[in-house]
Amino acid sequence: MSSSPPALRVRVAGKSMAALDIALFDLVAEDGAALPPFSAGSHVDVFLPNGLVRQYSLCNDPVESHRYQIAVLKDAGGRGGSCAMHGAVHLGDALSISAPKNHFPLAHAAESSLLLAGGIGITPLLCMAERLSAIGQPFSMHYCARSSERMAFVERIRGARFAEQVAFHFDDGAAEQKLDIPGLLQTPASGVHLYTCGPKGFMDAVLSAARQAGWPEHQLHSEFFSAEPIRKADDGGFEVQLASSGRVIPVAADQSVAAALAAAGVPVATSCEQGVCGTCLTRVLEGEPDHRDMYLTPDEQAAYNQFLPCCSRSRSARLVLDL
């Protein structure tokens, strides 16, 4: 698999524990220069010492140019990235990262914003809260966590000028303080945009409740950190055709489109390989994709004119790709 090449060399200028199993990293340019600017909702690809590439949201104020700050939840059952960040990346180490990318931007046309964070999903939303506060745009934020010891940035939020706009919710707390997601979202308003990030179960609950309540898709914004691979018993092989040359490449039942293309000498840039980050988004000119990503909205998926070859497949015998 190919990934976007690293663009920046940074040094770990700070590493601390922000909460139970959550490590906070401050990254500065290795040469001491200012880092490229970023906007709220941005992330960077981090190229880890073990060869993995992982995406982490930037959680510091976008006005800062001297550092990027990321928070990493240690997931012992994950694919190895978070454990490498916790155990193999140390203070003073040099790392390669990408320039900031933003697939989760604030909607500038919003009259107000509702931010719903689950666990480590606070990272991009905290950055958004600081930006919204700085420009004086109305918002409220609900921050949910399993317990208080697993909640990062509490003191930072309580010391912020927007502290009164944030409510904290704990799974192990009293029933009356738990977040009533359907109740909160039951009355959509035309100027309110909803942003959510966190574990898949939390985000599924938020987005499902919003859609059932009639929230329009253009007012729903989400960013998934990971997705469970989808395998179907009836998965079969199919073909992809390159529009530029007419070349046809077979895709086996147990093979991703991205892997088939790479094996045929036509690599597509990938990063998360889970249909989360959007790096490999490719136009579809003919055929019907079988979408299995967490990146495209339902409306975008229904258009059948683009797909994520790292995870999605085909319902038709052939897909013609804009490659």
Side-chain angles (χ1 to χ4, degrees):
M1 289 293 179
S2 62
S3 297
S4 300
L8 303 170
R9 289 288 292 175
V10 295
R11 177 175 55 83
V12 180
K15 180 181 179 181
S16 60
M17 296 305 293
L20 180 64
D21 289 335
I22 299 177
L24 188 65
F25 297 83
D26 282 343
L27 308 178
V28 300
E30 197 172 35
D31 60 5
L35 291 165
F38 68 96
S39 54
S42 295
H43 71 272
V44 293
D45 297 339
V46 177
F47 295 75
L48 297 170
N50 60 4
L52 296 176
V53 183
R54 292 294 182 266
Q55 295 73 42
Y56 297 109
S57 296
L58 299 177
C59 56
N60 54 308
D61 193 320
V63 303
E64 296 183 345
S65 61
H66 69 287
R67 67 169 180 169
Y68 294 150
Q69 190 175 69
I70 60 175
V72 181
L73 172 66
K74 186 177 182 180
D75 181 3
R79 297 181 298 148
S82 66
C83 289
M85 286 294 295
H86 276 249
V89 176
H90 307 288
L91 188 67
D93 285 357
L95 291 171
S96 292
I97 66 172
S98 71
K101 309 172 186 179
N102 199 342
H103 302 313
F104 190 38
L106 285 167
H108 296 293
E111 296 176 10
S112 66
S113 301
L114 177 58
L115 314 179
L116 301 186
I120 195 61
I122 187 62
T123 50
L125 299 187
L126 178 57
C127 187
M128 289 181 174
E130 290 177 334
R131 175 59 180 164
L132 292 168
S133 177
I135 63 177
Q137 187 176 88
F139 77 94
S140 61
M141 180 163 73
H142 292 265
Y143 182 6
C144 305
R146 288 163 56 190
S147 63
S148 59
E149 65 180 356
R150 294 185 176 276
M151 182 171 275
F153 307 117
V154 173
E155 294 308 313
R156 177 169 157 185
I157 293 171
R158 286 178 173 161
R161 57 184 172 181
F162 56 82
E164 293 185 355
Q165 295 162 254
V166 182
F168 299 97
H169 308 274
F170 307 100
D171 289 352
D172 63 355
E176 59 268 19
Q177 57 81 53
K178 295 182 179 180
L179 181 60
D180 176 8
I181 294 174
L184 178 67
L185 303 179
Q186 64 182 347
T187 309
S190 61
V192 179
H193 282 244
L194 170 65
Y195 303 82
T196 185
C197 189
K200 185 177 182 300
F202 173 83
M203 295 181 63
D204 285 345
V206 169
L207 295 173
S208 175
R211 287 167 178 144
Q212 288 179 14
W215 285 67
E217 284 297 328
H218 75 274
Q219 291 174 226
L220 303 179
H221 311 273
S222 59
E223 183 166 66
F224 286 82
F225 284 129
S226 63
E228 294 296 325
I230 299 174
R231 296 287 181 266
K232 297 180 180 177
D234 60 351
D235 276 350
F238 55 94
E239 297 176 335
V240 293
Q241 182 175 357
L242 310 183
S244 61
S245 64
R247 183 181 176 191
V248 175
I249 298 170
V251 181
D254 60 350
Q255 185 181 39
S256 72
V257 175
L261 290 169
V266 188
V268 173
T270 61
S271 188
C272 73
E273 300 182 23
Q274 294 183 289
V276 170
C277 73
T279 298
C280 63
L281 187 65
T282 302
R283 287 185 63 203
V284 176
L285 303 180
E286 294 180 30
E288 185 177 338
D290 179 4
H291 294 291
R292 303 186 184 185
D293 66 279
M294 305 301 298
Y295 178 75
L296 297 171
T297 68
D299 286 347
E300 289 171 333
Q301 289 183 345
Y304 295 122
N305 59 6
Q306 55 187 341
F307 86 138
L308 280 297
C310 70
C311 64
S312 295
R313 302 187 65 76
S314 180
R315 292 194 177 113
S316 53
R318 178 179 293 184
L319 292 177
V320 180
L321 305 180
D322 188 19
L323 293 173

